[in-house]
Amino acid sequence: GIHITLAIAPKDITPDTAGKDVGEIRFNPAEQKATVSLGAKDKLNLETFRRAGGAIAKWTTKNKVTDAGLETASFSDFELAPEQIAFALAEGLLLGSFRFDKHKSKKDEPTPATLYFLNESFAATLEQATIICDAANLTRAWAHEPANVINPVTLAERVQELAKEVGLKCTVLDDKQLTEMGAGAIVAVGQGSQTPSRLIVLEYQPPAGKEAKPVALVGKAITFDTGGYSIKTTLGMVGMKYDKCGAMAVIGTMVAVAKLKLEVPIVGVLAASENMISNISYRPNDILKTLSGKTVEIISTDAEGRLVL
């Protein structure tokens, strides 16, 4: 495998060993060594190491490197704590190697390299970074899924399966239950879709069972937003599968929380609807009654996010 080292530029090393820019990589094929530039020493911070990690991930993939060892001896040369450096580098490596090619019949890029930190003392730090980055990449992957794959109903099914895997309690309220409890706003937003609204609640309780007020996270999951009868333009509608990203971030956070076994109870609420047009869609000037008992007059059906939340 290849050995990868980090170096300050330009004063502390010669120009033929590394470049001036963060993430610039010089490779010596005879020694199978790559040197990654960290840029100027006086500008060094944790983001520098994240960017360097991202550059390594990109470079190893592009050059079809199968495995590489990251030299950690130089970590002690910097003013930052070695554990912080290891964590930031791992973030850059893991987040930088993310690719969403699930639906491609032919993969454009090879599998990312296996990278080793050549120091076992960072094992706990790297495990924590891996949990967090895997959760972030799960968030990104689900966010990229189109509306014919993830809609309110299939999202609820996915989250239920995921909750079982990581040990979270999951409760799903369907459109009938939401109607009965008086949640008229979220029901109205999704009533024009063949996949009606779902309210998904994830709960994490610390292993020690401490009684404490939970931290509550609430995320919007509009799995697709046409704008409804206040319809978006063609270009404005492209990319509206990403109107669910708030809730995807909550899902990723809850997965990380469960795996890290935090000591604080956390509740995540996902408000899922698909804002479509049909003969039963809600309209401008409709008056809805919300869960609080207050009524809302609709001016624009493209302001659905505040309604589901």
Side-chain angles (χ1 to χ4, degrees):
I2 291 172
H3 271 229
I4 299 174
T5 58
L6 307 174
I8 297 295
K11 293 181 180 178
D12 299 320
I13 52 174
T14 58
D16 59 345
T17 344
K20 296 181 181 180
D21 297 327
V22 177
E24 186 174 340
I25 297 176
R26 298 295 176 90
F27 179 55
N28 184 332
E31 298 181 4
Q32 288 292 287
K33 289 184 178 180
T35 304
V36 185
S37 172
L38 296 176
K41 189 173 184 177
D42 59 347
K43 295 182 179 179
L44 200 69
N45 55 40
L46 289 178
E47 184 58 27
T48 305
F49 290 96
R50 289 190 192 95
R51 288 173 59 195
I56 293 169
K58 184 178 180 180
W59 183 84
T60 53
T61 300
K62 180 181 178 181
N63 290 280
K64 301 180 180 179
V65 175
T66 54
D67 64 289
L70 186 63
E71 182 58 62
T72 59
S74 64
F75 287 13
S76 58
D77 297 338
F78 309 116
E79 294 181 4
L80 298 162
E83 289 76 14
Q84 289 181 309
I85 293 172
F87 192 96
L89 270 171
E91 282 186 305
L93 289 164
L94 293 166
L95 298 176
S97 61
F98 173 80
R99 300 288 184 276
F100 185 71
D101 56 8
K102 174 183 171 183
H103 299 293
K104 290 184 177 180
S105 55
K106 183 179 180 181
K107 305 295 187 290
D108 293 334
E109 295 180 332
T111 304
T114 301
L115 286 146
Y116 305 93
F117 278 62
L118 301 176
N119 188 332
E120 293 183 2
S121 66
F122 295 119
T125 298
L126 297 177
E127 182 182 4
Q128 185 183 52
T130 300
I131 288 172
I132 292 171
C133 292
D134 283 351
N137 285 337
L138 172 71
T139 294
R140 296 160 87 183
W142 284 26
H144 282 309
E145 291 285 11
N148 62 328
V149 174
I150 288 186
N151 58 56
V153 175
T154 59
L155 176 62
E157 293 168 352
R158 276 187 177 222
V159 174
Q160 285 175 316
E161 288 300 314
L162 184 62
K164 288 179 186 176
E165 291 175 19
V166 299
L168 293 168
K169 180 183 177 183
C170 181
T171 305
V172 177
L173 301 177
D174 62 23
D175 51 314
K176 295 181 179 61
Q177 291 168 300
L178 291 168
T179 299
E180 289 172 2
M181 65 190 290
I186 187 172
V187 171
V189 171
Q191 72 189 26
S193 171
Q194 64 179 353
T195 52
S197 299
R198 296 288 185 267
L199 193 71
I200 307 160
V201 182
L202 290 168
E203 297 176 69
Y204 167 77
Q205 189 63 35
K210 293 181 180 178
E211 290 295 329
K213 199 171 184 178
V215 173
L217 308 173
V218 185
K220 179 180 76 168
I222 303 299
T223 58
F224 197 81
D225 183 16
T226 65
Y229 276 109
S230 304
I231 194 168
K232 294 178 181 289
T233 63
T234 300
L235 290 178
M237 207 180 298
V238 174
M240 281 300 105
K241 65 178 183 177
Y242 295 117
D243 215 10
K244 62 181 181 293
C245 285
M248 301 306 101
V250 172
I251 292 169
T253 302
M254 295 300 296
V255 169
V257 162
K259 291 185 176 180
L260 291 171
K261 296 181 171 56
L262 298 192
E263 297 182 0
V264 180
I266 315 279
V267 175
V269 182
L270 320 175
S273 292
E274 186 178 42
N275 191 16
M276 300 290 281
I277 298 173
S278 76
N279 63 324
I280 56 171
S281 295
Y282 78 126
R283 299 147 295 223
N285 294 132
D286 280 2
I287 295 176
L288 312 177
K289 189 172 184 180
T290 68
L291 187 60
S292 69
K294 291 184 178 180
T295 54
V296 175
E297 182 182 9
I298 304 304
I299 304 302
S300 168
T301 60
D302 198 21
E304 81 297 325
R306 67 201 70 182
L307 294 174
V308 300
L309 292 174

